[in-house]
Amino acid sequence: MPLMLHLHRAQGLAFAQALSVWARHGLTPAEFDVLATLRNSPPPFELTPSRLQASVIITSGGLTKVMRQLEDRNLVTRSQTNYDQRIKPIKLTRKGKHLVEAAMAELAATSGAWVKKILGAKEIALLTGLLGKFAEAVDSDEE
């Protein structure tokens, strides 16, 4: 039980730091999640709504709302495909790419500094490896 409590507390602290970074960039957690998912997809940084939905933690209705907000701010575009007019892929715009990359860089720097203030290099490597085992176990359970 102490392990789970410590993991939960550490996650909460990390999330609080992320919230302040996202806010400085004018993003909500859901908007950041969508933009980062698009940015991490292969160029041209475009996914179908169903592929995006499978990659983010948000309901389809919530995704629709976030997509409208991001479109209104010219951070993503939607267009129809030539082969199926019902499918409207979501593409990261140049403005969206610059915004999410800046937020990602700041988040990495902030998180990295926070972790390095608490743990040494060997401890970070050990913790990374141990948490990786959890992630691998979850991935194999889902298959």
Side-chain angles (χ1 to χ4, degrees), residues 13-27 29 106-107 110:
L13 292 169
F15 190 74
Q17 288 187 0
L19 279 174
S20 65
V21 170
W22 298 328
R24 279 194 293 280
H25 292 274
L27 296 169
E106 184 179 342
L107 185 58
T110 302

Side-chain angles (χ1 to χ4, degrees), residues 137-143:
V138 170
D139 289 344
S140 66
D141 288 346
E142 291 176 354
E143 293 174 355

